């Protein structure tokens, strides 16, 4: 029994880690589904292509070459090292050691490339840290990046750094053990990087080396499980959500804003000369739809998925003309606010047995101010810049619709403009009958 | 201006039982704004020179609804859209050309869902095509070697991926096309879009058009080329603000070509 203890502990840790993760993913699903339904069954070909190109291929990341290349390294490192994680899990459950070792030369190549990647990841992560904390790139020190978002950004880097160091330490001890022909530690793998570290373990007995190797091994896998569970609380969720998010991202021209169907019905009735304007609404008429969005539940689920996918990189904000000229609007903040409010609504549901209890809070005003909303030029720079196909503009537009159509709360100048369009067919106070005057003016 | 402009309306042609090759959608700015009217006229001269049979809606045209929609008034937008669509469908219009990227975007992308399916081209695309078909050509080099920088209108560029047609036209002038640091997909808005044209900007450190003008000035152009009446106004104001109106001109691409042709 005792000899199976490590396997049992391992299985327990694994189940707890994955179980907790599954629970959080369920929450995530539930929260995203609080959004209104939206039909995204069109253009499947273009959608798969976008996912392959933007999420898998990272095409938008390399628009900024330095960040892009460093990111690609960390990304490839992450994917490839997962094969190593698979081996660790099998070893942990079965009590084997380097079970893939029988692959021979292929295994050597695998381990060697993991090691090289681990080193590159360490370098990249350090560079990222320097950019955030020493160089202090403008986009990382905006007002919305204080407190948790800042800490979170650094935490991710620390965790990745520690995981990679543990991985190399584990290999270095293993390498020494292999040299000493320790039982159980058969010769397997090639260790180009950890070989260089190995000499610090020179002179340690086999039993102490085993202790080092085991500690690093356990901390590495526990660390990975911790990281997995950290995701839900972090902007790092993008490593999972970037894929569905790019799939469900906009496939229409960026300038095409959706037409509200409910409005179309009404306008058709109004323009139809044969319609009876005093007719009573049909018996089965649904509750009149609320126009636009004042809270997260008025948004559609793709917009909510967007909010969870946002990795707070600030590329959108960096390109935003309003933000560049010192206005309060930051498309990144729009996404962060949406996520924060959605989390709050989710917690409210949990605390009240699945029923939302009014909390006198909403996305509009309590999170996103009108000043921010009105500063947007709808230029699509943020949409273009986002490396994971997030559309902050769609949320801004939905909220403007709420302000104008539900609250008639547009700035006075805009009300004048709209009055002119309504009465004169132009945003300026000119007579429609003068529309062709230019043709005769000298 | 040498000759009187001949601007047929759809109503006239229809009464005579004729239908034009294209409808020229003038837009509100092109109809009413003094600066933009010059662009409208320049484009009409080019259409005339190229023997394009065209017509305008004249008093039957109304705002596309773009500023209303982007201000958040979907209701007003759809009222405008459906009224315009009804008029155009009644004239059985197939092809539309416009010098305003906002009209272009709205009619091209948002009208189809409301029953208005037209082929819509921007005037820079249309002019490029006229060149390709040999219906207009350029001789003489009024702008030869001049430094021209091109400002991408958001609603033409990013919104609809039209980056090349206007640039190709500038190259036809034998001019030296110099790019600003933010161009093409990463172009910077002039500050007019999203109905901002019609309101005071929110508080900040500067206005967007000033920032954009500064970017333009960095490449020391003699001319800032625009392809949108709103961009034109914004950049003109920016140049004035920098007191550079004597050395830097802001011109629409249609004006550049018309002027090179000595029209
Ligand atoms: S669309 Fe609006 S939020 Fe996005 S970059 Fe342009 S001005 Fe900023
Ligand atoms: S919306 Fe996109 S570009 Fe903006 S911060 Fe989030 S991930 Fe970055």
């Amino acid at each position: 029994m005792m000899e199976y203890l490590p396997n049992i502990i391992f299985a327990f840790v694994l189940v707890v880690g994955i179980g907790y993760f599954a629970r959080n993913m369920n929450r995530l699903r539930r929260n995203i589904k609080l959004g209104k339904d939206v039909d995204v069954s069109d253009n499947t070909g273009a959608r798969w292509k976008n996912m392959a190109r933007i999420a898998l291929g990272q095409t938008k990341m390399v628009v900024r070459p330095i960040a892009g290349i460093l990111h690609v390294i960390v990304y490839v490192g992450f994917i490839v090292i997962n094969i190593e994680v698979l081996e660790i899990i099998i070893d942990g459950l079965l009590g084997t050691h380097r079970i893939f070792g029988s692959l021979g030369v292929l295994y050597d190549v695998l381990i060697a490339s993991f090691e090289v990647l681990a080193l590159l990841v360490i370098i990249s992560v350090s560079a990222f840290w320097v950019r955030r904390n020493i160089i202090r790139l403008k986009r990382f020190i905006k007002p919305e990046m204080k407190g948790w978002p800042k800490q979170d950004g650094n935490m991710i880097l620390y965790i990745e750094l520690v995981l990679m160091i543990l991985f190399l330490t584990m290999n270095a001890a293993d390498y020494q053990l292999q040299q000493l022909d320790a039982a159980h530690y058969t010769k397997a793998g090639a260790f180009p990087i950890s070989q260089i570290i190995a000499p610090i373990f020179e002179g340690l007995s086999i039993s102490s080396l085993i202790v080092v190797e085991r500690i690093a091994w356990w901390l590495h896998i526990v660390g990975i499980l911790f990281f997995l569970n950290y995701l839900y609380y972090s902007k790092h969720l993008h490593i999972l959500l970037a894929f569905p998010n790019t799939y469900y991202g906009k496939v229409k021209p960026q300038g095409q804003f959706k037409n509200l169907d409910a409005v179309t019905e009404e306008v058709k009735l109004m323009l139809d000369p044969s319609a009876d304007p005093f007719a009573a609404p049909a018996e089965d008429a649904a509750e009149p739809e609320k126009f636009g969005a004042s809270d997260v539940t008025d948004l559609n689920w793709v917009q909510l998925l967007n909010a969870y996918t946002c990795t707070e990189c600030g590329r959108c904000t960096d390109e935003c003309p309003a933000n560049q000229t010192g206005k309060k609007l930051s498309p990144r903040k729009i996404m962060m606010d949406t996520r924060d409010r959605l989390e709050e609504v989710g917690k409210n549901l949990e605390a009240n047995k699945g029923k939302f209890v009014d909390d006198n809070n909403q996305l509009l005003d309590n999170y996103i101010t009108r000043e921010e909303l009105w500063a947007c030029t709808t230029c699509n720079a943020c949409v273009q810049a986002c490396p994971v196909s997030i559309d902050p503009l769609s949320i801004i537009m939905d909220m403007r619709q709420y302000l104008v159509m539900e609250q008639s709360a547009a700035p006075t100048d805009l009300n004048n403009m709209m009055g002119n369009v309504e009465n004169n067919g132009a945003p300026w106070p000119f007579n429609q009958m003068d529309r062709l005057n230019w043709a005769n003016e000298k | 201006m040498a000759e009187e402009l001949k601007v047929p309306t759809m109503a006239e042609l229809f009464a005579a039982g004729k239908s034009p090759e294209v409808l020229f959608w003038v837009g509100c700015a092109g109809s009413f704004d003094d600066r933009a009217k010059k662009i409208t006229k320049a484009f009409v001269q080019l259409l005339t020179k190229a023997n394009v049979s065209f017509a305008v809606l004249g008093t039957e045209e109304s705002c596309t609804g773009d500023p209303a929609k982007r201000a958040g008034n979907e209701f007003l937008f759809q009222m405008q859209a459906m009224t315009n669509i009804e008029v155009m469908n009644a004239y059985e219009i197939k092809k539309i050309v416009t010098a305003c990227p906002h009209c272009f975007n709205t009619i091209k992308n948002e009208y189809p869902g409301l029953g208005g399916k037209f082929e819509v081209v921007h005037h820079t695309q249309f002019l490029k095509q006229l060149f390709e078909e040999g219906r207009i050509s350029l001789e003489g080099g009024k702008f030869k070697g001049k430094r021209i920088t091109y400002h991408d209108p958001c609603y033409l560029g990013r919104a609809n991926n039209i980056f090349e047609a206007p640039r190709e036209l500038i190259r036809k002038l034998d001019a030296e096309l110099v790019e600003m640091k933010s161009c093409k997909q990463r172009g910077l808005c002039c500050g007019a879009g999203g109905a901002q044209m019609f309101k005071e900007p929110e508080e900040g450190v500067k206005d967007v058009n000033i920032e954009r003008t500064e970017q333009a000035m960095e490449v020391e152009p003699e001319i800032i080329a625009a392809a949108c009446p709103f961009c034109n106004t914004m950049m003109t104001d920016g140049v004035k603000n920098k007191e550079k109106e004597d050395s830097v001109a802001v011109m629409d691409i249609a004006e550049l070509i018309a002027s090179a042709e000595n029209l």
Side-chain angles (χ1 to χ4, degrees), chain A residues 316 319-322 329 331 375-382 393 396:
Chain A
C316 52
E319 299 283 333
C320 175
L329 174 61
C376 175
T377 70
T378 71
C379 66
N380 266 302
C382 50
L393 175 56
I396 297 175

Side-chain angles (χ1 to χ4, degrees), chain A residues 139 144-145 238 245 306-307 309-318 330-333 335-336 381-392:
Chain A
R139 62 190 160 106
E144 67 267 23
M145 295 310 285
H238 79 279
N245 201 71
N306 276 186
T309 310
C310 175
T311 184
E312 298 167 15
C313 67
R315 290 177 181 222
C316 52
T317 295
D318 221 19
S330 160
R332 165 171 59 190
K333 178 176 171 292
M335 300 320 300
M336 293 167 72
C382 50
V383 184
Q384 177 76 39
C386 181
V388 288
S389 304
I390 286 170
D391 187 349

Side-chain angles (χ1 to χ4, degrees), chain A residues 15 18 32 102 129 146 173 224 238 293 314 347 408:
Chain A
V15 167
I18 293 179
I32 288 175
S102 53
W129 188 86
K146 297 218 171 74
I224 285 171
H238 79 279
K347 295 214 177 89
S408 307

Side-chain angles (χ1 to χ4, degrees), chain A residues 310-380:
Chain A
C310 175
T311 184
E312 298 167 15
C313 67
R315 290 177 181 222
C316 52
T317 295
D318 221 19
E319 299 283 333
C320 175
N323 194 277
Q324 275 182 32
T325 53
K327 283 145 196 115
K328 288 224 173 71
L329 174 61
S330 160
R332 165 171 59 190
K333 178 176 171 292
I334 302 285
M335 300 320 300
M336 293 167 72
D337 286 341
T338 304
R339 174 178 174 155
D340 289 349
R341 172 59 184 157
L342 184 53
E343 275 290 293
E344 188 176 61
V345 170
K347 295 214 177 89
N348 183 315
L349 284 173
E350 261 153 50
N352 299 298
K353 302 194 181 67
K355 258 191 61 141
F356 181 77
V357 174
D358 191 15
D359 58 354
N360 269 320
N361 230 349
Q362 58 170 4
L363 188 59
L364 178 68
D365 294 331
N366 303 67
Y367 286 82
I368 299 172
T369 62
R370 295 163 193 233
E371 183 179 345
E372 291 164 66
L373 295 172
W374 289 118
C376 175
T377 70
T378 71
C379 66
N380 266 302

Side-chain angles (χ1 to χ4, degrees), chain A residues 160-213:
Chain A
E160 280 170 355
L161 192 70
V162 169
L163 286 178
M164 291 302 112
I165 290 174
L166 285 170
F167 173 72
L168 288 175
T169 312
M170 168 185 106
N171 275 357
D174 201 305
Y175 173 75
Q176 285 291 32
L177 285 162
Q178 290 184 20
Q179 301 309 308
L180 296 172
D181 285 326
H184 206 58
Y185 290 90
T186 42
K187 288 217 165 70
F191 304 93
I193 308 296
S194 55
Q195 242 178 72
I196 305 167
I197 316 170
I200 49 172
F201 299 134
E202 207 81 62
L204 284 191
S205 66
I206 287 190
S207 53
S208 342
L209 277 172
I210 291 180
V211 170
V212 173
E213 193 273 340

